[in-house]
Amino acid sequence: MAIQPDKAAMLERIRRDILKNQICPELAAGATNLVMGEGSVDADIMFIGEAPGKNEDLQGRPFVGAAGKFLDEMLRGVNLRRQDVYITNIVKYRPPDNRDPLPEEKLAFWPYLLRQLAVIRPKVVVTLGRHSLEHFLPGRQISAVHGQPKRLKIIFPGGNQPSGLVILPLYHPAAALYNGSMRLTLMDDFARLPEVINQDSSNSN
Ligand code: URA
């Protein structure tokens, strides 16, 4: 029987493929680091943001700036630590001047994000902001669906059977940071995370 490579090795393979396939060379040329993601490879929850900002680019780690501090604070509020979850972005190089990622950049990185998902197999994907949401639930407005878990079927690369996945769309912590009402909404939505995970476990029994 073939030996399965471990999850860390499979994630490393994805990183190497991004480099080998020269994904978004213009972004790569202006970036300090390729920011793949971090956390537990066995996480039940995967957070997916947009793209690295300045601090993330410099450190090579996702969500380490002001938005990341807010994310850490909300994680603590539901008794989770960064090392209990997996955190990544759709686009893995910092766009210049922190502009929004372009549709073609998101599309170019999408297959690699699906491969990360296929390795980690979280129960719940938390999309942070509209860029991440629109790939999982095309056409949905974040203002209409935030905080509402949605069940999806997805075929992972290399698979032939659709797998069930729960998406929890949240506002982006950077957008909510300095907007009082959005901040409260995000914190309320975030507090639902344990309930969403437990619901998913009971449904799959
Ligand atoms: N915003 C994001 O979407 N991702 C990061 O990693 C940091 C800020």
Side-chain angles (χ1 to χ4, degrees), residues 45-178:
I45 310 170
M46 186 157 160
F47 288 86
I48 304 179
E50 297 175 7
K54 186 169 178 217
N55 293 295
E56 290 76 21
D57 175 56
L58 290 174
Q59 294 187 39
R61 300 174 54 209
F63 282 97
V64 289
K69 301 257 170 331
F70 185 27
L71 179 61
D72 290 349
E73 188 185 311
M74 289 186 290
L75 281 169
R76 278 197 296 277
V78 293
N79 286 322
L80 286 170
R81 300 157 306 165
R82 278 175 88 95
Q83 56 266 45
D84 300 323
V85 301
Y86 195 87
I87 305 175
T88 189
N89 287 300
I90 295 207
V91 169
K92 289 168 168 55
Y93 290 119
R94 180 192 182 202
D97 305 318
N98 288 346
R99 65 153 167 74
D100 281 353
L102 302 174
E104 57 269 31
E105 292 165 348
K106 290 183 274 177
L107 268 182
F109 277 106
W110 178 244
Y112 300 94
L113 179 67
L114 282 184
R115 282 175 60 188
Q116 287 180 300
L117 268 169
V119 171
I120 294 166
R121 293 289 175 132
K123 289 181 183 160
V124 176
V125 164
V126 179
T127 58
L128 298 171
R130 65 188 169 87
H131 290 285
S132 175
L133 169 69
E134 74 193 9
H135 273 265
F136 289 95
L137 300 170
R140 299 298 189 98
Q141 296 292 319
I142 191 152
S143 53
V145 296
H146 68 86
Q148 299 165 31
K150 307 279 176 203
R151 203 163 265 280
L152 276 192
K153 291 271 180 215
I154 198 160
I155 300 184
F156 290 114
N160 43 22
Q161 297 288 339
S163 305
L165 192 62
V166 173
I167 307 291
L168 180 64
L170 296 186
Y171 282 117
H172 196 290
L177 210 47
Y178 305 110

Side-chain angles (χ1 to χ4, degrees), residues 8-66:
M10 290 193 275
L11 291 175
E12 172 58 17
R13 178 76 189 266
I14 300 171
R15 189 185 74 82
R16 287 203 207 154
D17 284 348
I18 290 175
L19 295 171
K20 186 181 80 190
N21 298 333
Q22 301 190 350
I23 303 305
C24 297
E26 299 82 13
L27 289 186
T32 315
N33 278 299
L34 172 63
V35 183
M36 288 301 293
E38 69 179 20
S40 165
V41 296
D42 296 314
D44 283 341
I45 310 170
M46 186 157 160
F47 288 86
I48 304 179
E50 297 175 7
K54 186 169 178 217
N55 293 295
E56 290 76 21
D57 175 56
L58 290 174
Q59 294 187 39
R61 300 174 54 209
F63 282 97
V64 289

